[in-house]
């Protein structure tokens, strides 16, 4: 079904930015404030899941409390009266995601990686202190605002909304499995250390062009996370300083208590 042309009588849809299993994101113009925004429309089949919709709203509210230069700002949320679609209106970030950067070049430059990850750490630390865990840190949720050369974390808390709903019960894995912490992969409650692990996976991939654990199934990934040490980055890319290599691999420790205490 095609998206509505206008959401909430205010946001004019102008083009699709991206889509996932739970939602589609569109670029839109806020006709009241005359600015570009990003509008996330919840997938129609999820609107019937009342538990999911309730969580989706709660998480939108908690994300809207976060106001930080390294976090995508949430402006508005609700249900469009005409189409019945649930929506979240967010700051529009003019620039690529880190997933786009990885598609263009298999790995990133050292200075670029440090800049991106430092910004992400600031955003995560702020959110964690506010009691909000991201739960879905991956390259696609790290957005680069090109004009300011600032990295912003998108989609806070959306993964939390999907826990314990029909979507997860039918066995689909939220987020990209490679970026899940071992505790998330085992279905345990995820806290700030899970976000630190996921950001560690991203950083490892930015520098090496590969994941810490290559896998062909979720079972194989879970086993490797438990049994296999992570190959040092310096083996793959010798110019990476050993201190940075050790810092990233500390984020990738299997035991949450062995990782950094804060982002």
């Amino acid at each position: 079904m095609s998206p509505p042309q206008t959401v909430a009588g205010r946001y004019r849809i102008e083009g699709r930015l991206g889509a996932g299993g739970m939602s589609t994101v569109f670029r839109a113009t806020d006709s009241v404030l005359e600015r570009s925004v990003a509008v996330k429309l919840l997938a129609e089949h999820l609107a019937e899941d009342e538990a999911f919709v309730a969580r989706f709203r709660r998480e939108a509210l908690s994300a809207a409390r976060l106001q930080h230069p390294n976090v995508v700002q949430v402006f508005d949320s609700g249900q469009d009266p005409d189409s019945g679609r649930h929506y979240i209106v967010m700051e529009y970030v003019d620039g690529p995601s880190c997933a786009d950067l990885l598609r263009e070049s298999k790995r990133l430059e050292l200075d670029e990686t440090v800049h991106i990850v430092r910004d992400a750490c600031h955003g995560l630390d702020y959110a964690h202190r506010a009691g909000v865990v991201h739960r879905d840190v991956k390259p696609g949720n790290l957005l680069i605002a090109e004009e300011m050369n600032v990295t912003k974390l998108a989609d806070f808390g959306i993964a939390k909304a999907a826990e314990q709903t029909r979507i997860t019960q039918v066995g689909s894995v939220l987020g990209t499995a490679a970026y899940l912490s071992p505790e998330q992969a085992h279905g345990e409650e995820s806290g700030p250390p899970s976000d630190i692990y996921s950001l560690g996976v991203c950083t490892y991939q930015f520098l090496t062009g590969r994941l810490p654990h290559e896998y062909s199934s979720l079972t194989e990934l879970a086993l490797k996370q438990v049994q296999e040490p992570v190959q040092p980055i310096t083996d793959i890319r010798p110019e990476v300083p050993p201190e940075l290599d050790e810092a990233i691999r500390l984020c990738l420790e299997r035991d949450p208590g062995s990782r950094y205490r804060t982002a």
Side-chain angles (χ1 to χ4, degrees), residues 92-113:
Y92 171 67
V93 178
D94 192 4
S97 71
C98 287
D100 296 329
L101 297 181
L102 285 173
R103 273 191 292 271
E104 286 167 21
S105 51
K106 198 178 172 204
R107 59 189 196 182
L108 308 185
E109 293 301 321
L110 186 57
D111 287 350
E112 180 183 24
T113 297

Side-chain angles (χ1 to χ4, degrees), residues 196-256:
I196 290 172
Y197 183 96
S198 300
L199 187 60
V201 177
C202 294
T203 315
Y204 191 98
Q205 186 179 18
F206 296 159
L207 290 174
T208 65
R210 47 158 289 186
L211 295 165
H213 300 290
E214 301 291 351
Y215 65 100
S216 56
S217 71
L218 290 176
T219 309
E220 185 185 3
L221 174 62
L223 277 172
K224 285 188 170 183
Q225 284 181 329
V226 172
Q227 296 172 355
E228 284 191 6
V230 174
Q231 184 182 6
I233 296 170
T234 48
D235 287 0
I236 305 163
R237 196 167 177 182
E239 71 268 27
V240 171
E243 298 86 353
L244 180 58
D245 184 6
E246 287 169 22
I248 295 163
R249 284 189 291 129
L250 192 60
C251 296
L252 296 173
E253 285 285 345
R254 183 184 179 278
D255 175 17

Side-chain angles (χ1 to χ4, degrees), residues 23-154:
S23 59
T24 307
V25 183
F26 297 90
R27 181 173 180 171
T29 297
D30 179 345
S31 59
V32 175
L33 295 176
E34 297 184 355
R35 64 179 175 184
S36 290
V37 292
V39 175
K40 180 188 285 278
L41 290 179
L42 187 62
E44 287 170 280
H45 69 279
L46 296 175
E48 298 153 21
D49 189 332
E50 290 175 16
F52 177 79
V53 169
R55 288 192 186 92
F56 185 77
R57 286 177 174 155
R58 275 202 306 274
E59 291 302 321
L61 286 171
S62 67
R65 294 201 321 265
L66 302 177
Q67 296 191 29
H68 189 273
N70 301 118
V71 173
V72 172
Q73 179 70 50
V74 172
F75 296 139
D76 190 11
S77 73
Q79 185 174 14
D80 179 41
D82 295 330
S83 67
R85 302 281 292 273
H86 294 272
Y87 65 87
I88 295 179
V89 181
M90 302 168 291
E91 167 188 4
Y92 171 67
V93 178
D94 192 4
S97 71
C98 287
D100 296 329
L101 297 181
L102 285 173
R103 273 191 292 271
E104 286 167 21
S105 51
K106 198 178 172 204
R107 59 189 196 182
L108 308 185
E109 293 301 321
L110 186 57
D111 287 350
E112 180 183 24
T113 297
V114 170
H115 184 86
I116 288 168
V117 175
R118 182 197 63 199
D119 281 0
C121 285
H122 286 314
L124 282 178
D125 183 56
Y126 165 81
H128 292 163
R129 283 187 282 113
V132 180
V133 179
H134 191 291
R135 294 182 174 83
D136 196 18
V137 177
K138 58 186 179 184
N141 281 335
L142 294 169
L143 310 182
I144 312 294
E146 287 189 313
E147 193 176 347
M148 305 289 289
N149 191 24
V150 167
T151 303
K152 292 176 179 273
L153 280 150

Side-chain angles (χ1 to χ4, degrees), residues 154-169:
D155 266 6
F156 262 91
I158 303 305
K160 172 67 171 174
E163 286 176 10
Q164 306 308 313
T165 66
R166 285 179 212 137
I167 334 171
T168 48
Q169 284 163 12

